[in-house]
Amino acid sequence: MPKQGKRRKKKRTEKEVDISERELRQTPRCFVVKRGEVGNNIKDLVHDFREVMSPNCGKALRESRINRLEDYAAVAGHFHVSHLIVFTQTKAASYMKLVKLPQGPTLTFRLASYSLARDVRAAQKRPRGGSRDYSVAPLQVLNGFGGAASAVAKASPKELMVEMLRGMLPAVDVPTYNQAETRRTALFSYDPVEDVVHFRHYHVTQGTAGIERGVQRLLRVTRLPKLGSKADIADFVLNGGAASESEAEQAMEAPSATGGRIGVRLSETGPRLTLQLVKVEEGICNGGVLYHRFQTKTPTQQQVLEAKAKQRKSLQKRNDMLERNLVGAKANKKRMEDRKAQRIKDHQGGGYEEEEDAGAVETHVSHHVKAKAEGGGGGGASDTGKRKKFHPLFGKKAAKPAKDGTIEFQSTEKGKGGKGKGVKGGGKGKGGGKGKGKKGDGRMSVIDRFHQSAKKQRKVADSDDAARA
């Protein structure tokens, strides 16, 4: 039996929230991408770090080999993206670059060690977390950056590092902070002994404080306890609710915003990162080096590097200008081709207009010849003193009219005492020589053609008049 009824239309059940322009500017957003040839572990790490930065991250972003860092920087302003996190891999080590858009600086961290989220969850008996936890940005915690300086030679600049890490995630707005929305936390802990930063990602579980574990399991709505094997409910409560070792751990108590105290438990969900700062440079991976852990430059070498950095910037500006000019030239060329195609199309479709134009040209030429014959070739200027337009058939000076009323054009051969060739016998050339008549050669001059066409037109007109009479 065929299916009856109309097709079901899915309706949006989520509430559309209008985000103000101020919030768009102040909320940090990032692109997490990979560059170059990387292994499967780095690809999985990119996916895990995108989940950490959710929801202010392009989770479905697809990279291509032809994409450059300049491409990401070009579209960052449209999507209100403030940071770019790039993962790369070489034969020596793996690196993470943290870039502040649109003008830098760029921090390059070496991944001393890392663990994927799936490895961290595999070590837990009951991993926590769900898709709803990634609808709100994690709460950022910075630890150890305000302590004593590291004793390691060429220690990392903590002030710059902490400012860059602090800007990755949105800050807590105390007046509008909702404690119930805290579902994740991102921890950056600085170790001054090894001069590295440890990153951890946790899920936050909140509960009531001051209540026995067995009673808590009885009060919760989901995952009701199994009491079939218990003779009395007191055995279940006194036994701690048959909790495992991990569940029997007491939650840390914290003050609640509404008064009283709540229990907070952290369960790690991964990934884990151990970051070691290697290099700090200006701009987006193309400026002068401000700090390097393994290289030391003399003042002269530093000046040379700064000059090269300025030269790269100038070349980049020139390339950008040439690229804009090329795009403009291509657009102009396309516009001209379109105009030419339109003119050809109009020309092919306007046959009647061409016939009218041809008749107008012929009439203009006849009048021009008649005026020359009557005026005797008055030097090419009209009576009103205006300069006549050049015509390809009548650009040369006309000779004096012959006895029979025809006009001879000046020959291209000029010379003293030369013999000109007249149309009929007995004509005199311009150079004073006697012209030789030529008859029966089958060739006609331009004037003879015009006279012949005029005679035909008169005959046709006379025949039409006779027919009407």
Side-chain angles (χ1 to χ4, degrees), residues 288-463:
V289 178
L290 303 178
Y291 165 81
H292 202 287
R293 179 179 292 272
F294 305 112
Q295 295 181 2
T296 303
K297 301 293 183 182
T298 61
T300 304
Q301 293 175 341
Q302 190 68 24
Q303 292 178 0
V304 172
L305 292 177
E306 291 177 358
K308 289 183 178 180
K310 292 181 180 179
Q311 186 178 6
R312 283 196 299 267
K313 288 183 179 180
S314 62
L315 290 176
Q316 183 65 30
K317 291 182 180 179
R318 188 200 65 173
N319 293 339
D320 294 342
M321 183 183 65
L322 292 177
E323 188 173 357
R324 290 193 299 268
N325 294 341
L326 180 61
V327 171
K330 288 183 178 179
N332 293 335
K333 184 178 179 181
K334 183 72 167 82
R335 196 182 306 111
M336 295 297 293
E337 290 178 355
D338 294 342
R339 290 181 180 177
K340 184 177 180 181
Q342 186 65 27
R343 286 198 301 268
I344 293 175
K345 185 177 179 181
D346 297 342
H347 183 73
Q348 292 177 353
Y352 295 101
E353 296 179 0
E354 291 179 2
E355 293 179 359
E356 294 177 0
D357 295 343
V361 170
E362 185 175 356
T363 305
H364 172 72
V365 171
S366 301
H367 287 299
H368 186 75
V369 172
K370 187 181 292 185
K372 286 242 180 181
E374 294 176 356
S382 61
D383 298 337
T384 57
K386 294 183 179 180
R387 183 177 179 181
K388 293 185 177 180
K389 295 183 179 180
F390 172 76
H391 196 279
L393 298 178
F394 304 98
K396 301 176 183 179
K397 294 182 180 181
K400 294 181 179 181
K403 295 180 180 180
D404 54 355
T406 60
I407 298 176
E408 298 180 0
F409 286 92
Q410 182 180 358
S411 175
T412 55
E413 299 179 0
K414 296 180 181 181
K416 295 182 179 181
K419 295 182 179 181
K421 296 182 180 181
V423 178
K424 294 184 179 180
K428 294 183 179 181
K430 182 178 179 181
K434 295 182 179 180
K436 297 180 180 180
K438 290 186 179 182
K439 294 183 180 180
D441 54 355
R443 293 182 294 179
M444 299 176 63
S445 64
V446 178
I447 304 302
D448 293 337
R449 293 197 200 101
F450 283 126
H451 279 294
Q452 189 175 1
S453 63
K455 289 179 181 179
K456 289 181 180 180
Q457 292 179 0
R458 285 195 296 270
K459 288 181 181 179
V460 172
D462 295 338
S463 63

Side-chain angles (χ1 to χ4, degrees), residues 2-145:
K3 185 178 180 181
Q4 297 179 356
K6 296 182 179 180
R7 185 178 180 182
R8 176 181 174 270
K9 295 182 179 179
K10 185 177 180 181
K11 298 181 180 179
R12 291 186 63 90
T13 57
E14 298 179 1
K15 183 180 178 181
E16 295 184 0
V17 180
D18 296 334
I19 303 176
S20 62
E21 188 66 24
R22 179 174 176 270
E23 187 177 355
L24 283 175
R25 291 195 306 267
Q26 292 185 355
T27 302
R29 292 173 173 82
C30 66
F31 287 149
V32 182
V33 298
K34 59 181 182 297
R35 293 278 294 168
E37 297 293 336
V38 297
N40 294 330
N41 292 334
I42 296 297
K43 293 180 182 178
D44 295 340
L45 182 61
V46 170
H47 180 268
D48 294 343
F49 211 81
R50 285 180 179 179
E51 289 188 345
V52 172
M53 304 302 293
S54 296
N56 301 321
C57 175
K59 191 174 181 180
L61 180 64
R62 295 183 180 181
E63 306 98 334
S64 177
R65 292 185 178 180
I66 62 175
N67 292 134
R68 302 177 299 171
L69 295 180
E70 290 79 2
D71 300 334
Y72 297 109
V75 300
H78 176 72
F79 295 103
H80 303 280
V81 175
S82 59
H83 290 78
L84 178 63
I85 301 174
V86 184
F87 286 90
T88 60
Q89 188 176 26
T90 62
K91 294 182 179 180
S94 301
Y95 299 91
M96 185 188 79
K97 293 185 178 182
L98 178 59
V99 184
K100 181 68 173 67
L101 298 176
Q103 297 181 354
T106 303
L107 272 65
T108 303
F109 295 94
R110 186 176 71 89
L111 299 180
S113 63
Y114 65 91
S115 299
L116 301 178
R118 65 167 182 264
D119 299 331
V120 176
R121 292 194 185 102
Q124 300 176 0
K125 186 176 181 180
R126 289 185 179 179
R128 299 179 181 272
S131 59
R132 187 180 176 185
D133 297 338
Y134 296 96
S135 62
V136 182
L139 181 66
Q140 188 182 35
V141 179
L142 300 176
N143 178 45
F145 289 95

